[in-house]
Amino acid sequence: MDFSLSTEERQIRDTIRSFIEREVMPLEPDVLRNERAGRPGLEPQVVRDLRQKAKSMGFWGINTPEEYGGAALGPLMSAIIAMETGRTFVPFTFGGTADNILYAGNDDQKRRYLIPTIEGERRSCFAITEPGAGSDARSIRTRAVKDGSEWVINGEKTFITGGNEADFVMVFAVTDPDKGADGGVTCFLADRDMGWKSEPIPTMGQWGPASLVFEDVRVPEENILGELGKGFELAMQWIGQGRYMIPARAIGAAERMLQMAVDYAKIRHSMGHPIAEYQAIQWMIADSQVEIEAAKWLTLYAAWRVQQRMDARHASSIAKLNGADMANQVVDRVLQIHGGMGYTKELPIERWYRELRLLRIFEGTDEIQRRTIARNLLKGHARLGTIGE
Ligand SMILES: Cc1cc2nc3c(=O)[nH]c(=O)nc-3n(C[C@H](O)[C@H](O)[C@H](O)COP(=O)(O)OP(=O)(O)OC[C@H]3O[C@@H](n4cnc5c(N)ncnc54)[C@H](O)[C@@H]3O)c2cc1C
């Protein structure tokens, strides 16, 4: 068993770290100012420029296959890179990526949707959740009915990340109500100009999802992604594939904040001593470091399983549940260590506090992860007493 990074992996990690520190972190005050004025944290042009800079250093399409111009660094390196980008709350991600299920498209769909998304010319969104079907995604009711060579879609989707900015949506609709999620749900690639409407949903964090309304939206037959009736499997593939990336980003944020707390505890005096000398503060620091380390190894283990092409669903649920909980515990302690200052908008802690709360909800709530983990054990899909098996 080898826990160390290779020389090349360490070099990549260090290069990304210095890129984030040099190019991205300095934008943090601008992001706070813009967001507090009700504007997007970064102008799209700033994001494009940053992505081009990163591209010139070879960081383009971190997990995108080489045949599509990506760096194809693999799941483990992607997780490590997400830990680095997670250190800042600046809403920046490397360019050159596309949703994993777009690779399921035929050559024509790849030309019209996958490649322009990788190139940053088109923006996608993924829409399965509905007002009446969140955790219970099998109960979606958005309906697609065949009419000649077209499908007519009616229904409403909610909480769709990027739904207000996207120019096409991967939308999941019932094509055979008798079969439902077992062979009766299909994924359609629907361009905005086919007629669906979006409305932003204000949230407690900066993550601005949208509701999407489909009223007799006509989508040509050739825009079915994958096979008719196989949409539910694609949706689960989209959700499952990168689940370890959520705790990975959270680890970066937690480490950065814990460092802030360590630094602050040494300079803030109370009752004649730096607060770092009080056991109450030390225990919060120690518990946070323990939880971060545990989350790190669970996350890397889940990513390693994906890399080995092993079944990673159980490990990913464990990593996601643990990482989301860890991040919320750590941000709360870091805020506590900063006292009243932690609660102000002068520091970014309250922003992180609001943003990290989402991690316990999307891509499978805490309760759904627990349900999955327990059911895997109860049904014998996962066993206790294993190491890397
Ligand atoms: C900011 C944001 C972005 C999102 N982005 C997307 C996106 O891009 N695309 C998309 O399709 N969706 C997206 N979602 C939707 C997200 O995946 C759902 O919100 C999530 O799955 C929970 O569904 P729900 O909100 O309907 O809650 P519900 O399913 O109604 O759950 C309510 C509560 O009941 C619990 N619960 C539900 N069922 C069970 C059960 N069987 N056992 C125990 N407890 C249970 C839940 O854990 C939760 O605590 C996003 C959500 C948010 C908030």
Side-chain angles (χ1 to χ4, degrees):
M1 195 179 300
D2 185 355
F3 289 96
S4 60
L5 297 182
S6 68
T7 310
E8 193 198 350
E9 287 166 340
R10 194 167 300 119
Q11 271 169 358
I12 294 173
R13 196 266 323 264
D14 292 348
T15 311
I16 298 267
R17 183 171 292 182
S18 65
F19 176 81
I20 296 291
E21 285 173 359
R22 202 181 56 245
E23 305 286 348
V24 185
M25 284 182 185
L27 299 170
E28 289 179 350
D30 292 349
V31 169
L32 289 182
R33 224 182 355 264
N34 285 339
E35 289 177 352
R36 282 164 193 167
R39 295 188 294 267
L42 289 182
E43 291 292 322
Q45 190 55 46
V46 177
V47 178
R48 276 196 288 273
D49 291 348
L50 275 177
R51 285 184 174 168
Q52 285 307 321
K53 246 184 217 169
K55 187 176 184 180
S56 68
M57 297 166 65
F59 296 117
W60 180 260
I62 300 290
N63 208 7
T64 300
E66 283 169 358
E67 57 178 303
Y68 295 100
L73 294 178
L76 254 180
M77 211 55 232
S78 298
I80 291 166
I81 290 173
M83 289 179 198
E84 296 304 320
T85 52
R87 284 176 196 277
T88 177
F89 54 83
V90 173
F92 168 76
T93 50
F94 292 103
T97 59
D99 306 80
N100 58 346
I101 60 173
L102 287 178
Y103 291 92
N106 57 35
D107 286 347
D108 184 50
Q109 290 170 343
K110 283 181 179 164
R111 186 180 55 75
R112 289 188 294 137
Y113 295 95
L114 172 70
I115 294 167
T117 306
I118 292 173
E119 296 299 331
E121 291 155 10
R122 298 200 72 175
R123 289 192 67 171
S124 61
C125 65
F126 167 89
I128 188 156
T129 305
E130 298 180 1
S135 305
D136 187 10
R138 295 175 64 86
S139 303
I140 58 166
R141 298 176 65 164
T142 293
R143 190 75 167 89
V145 177
K146 187 92 187 277
D147 181 24
S149 63
E150 292 178 326
W151 287 82
V152 184
I153 303 182
N154 278 287
E156 186 181 343
K157 297 290 178 183
T158 192
F159 296 133
I160 307 308
T161 300
N164 219 36
E165 297 81 25
D167 68 296
F168 76 96
V169 56
M170 297 164 282
V171 61
F172 295 83
V174 177
T175 41
D176 182 342
D178 294 335
K179 293 186 182 156
D182 299 314
V185 168
T186 302
C187 179
F188 295 89
L189 296 164
D191 297 5
R192 188 180 284 270
D193 62 16
M194 290 174 186
W196 53 270
K197 302 272 185 295
S198 67
E199 191 65 40
I201 303 173
T203 63
M204 73 184 267
Q206 298 303 329
W207 207 285
S211 63
L212 311 187
V213 175
F214 294 79
E215 268 177 17
D216 292 330
V217 172
R218 301 184 82 87
V219 179
E221 170 89 19
E222 63 262 27
N223 277 29
I224 288 179
L225 183 65
E227 286 176 48
L228 179 71
K230 293 281 173 62
F232 198 75
E233 288 82 343
L234 276 184
M236 292 305 108
Q237 198 182 318
W238 187 94
I239 294 170
Q241 179 85 3
R243 191 163 264 159
Y244 61 88
M245 293 295 277
I246 293 174
R249 270 188 79 87
I251 287 160
E255 284 196 326
R256 174 103 183 274
M257 280 187 286
L258 184 57
Q259 187 61 54
M260 284 173 64
V262 166
D263 295 343
Y264 187 73
K266 288 195 270 190
I267 57 164
R268 177 69 180 169
H269 283 67
S270 173
M271 301 179 192
H273 296 271
I275 59 171
E277 289 181 15
Y278 299 122
Q279 190 183 51
I281 302 293
Q282 291 174 3
W283 284 25
M284 284 196 271
I285 290 172
D287 288 348
S288 298
Q289 155 99 89
V290 171
E291 288 167 23
I292 291 169
E293 286 303 301
K296 194 180 285 179
W297 295 110
L298 287 174
T299 300
L300 291 175
Y301 178 61
W304 175 82
R305 286 192 76 95
V306 178
Q307 186 134 321
Q308 304 301 316
R309 299 186 188 283
M310 296 162 88
D311 187 343
R313 287 173 294 182
H314 192 67
S316 297
S317 279
I318 292 175
K320 200 267 179 183
L321 173 66
N322 175 269
D325 185 55
M326 172 282 293
N328 278 273
Q329 295 282 352
V330 171
V331 70
D332 190 66
R333 293 193 196 108
V334 169
L335 196 151
Q336 193 69 13
I337 290 170
H338 283 78
M341 279 306 293
Y343 194 63
T344 68
K345 288 192 186 278
E346 261 181 63
L347 296 179
I349 303 168
E350 62 83 31
R351 186 202 183 280
W352 255 312
Y353 193 99
R354 288 181 286 111
E355 183 171 312
L356 292 170
R357 187 62 183 81
L358 173 63
L359 305 192
R360 296 184 50 206
I361 297 170
F362 77 167
E363 299 207 20
T365 63
D366 283 3
E367 293 72 26
I368 294 305
Q369 305 305 341
R370 286 196 170 89
R371 177 177 178 266
T372 304
I373 295 162
R375 281 165 58 136
N376 285 344
L377 281 175
L378 292 166
K379 291 188 171 179
H381 301 321
R383 287 181 298 120
L384 297 168
T386 58
I387 298 178
E389 293 146 60

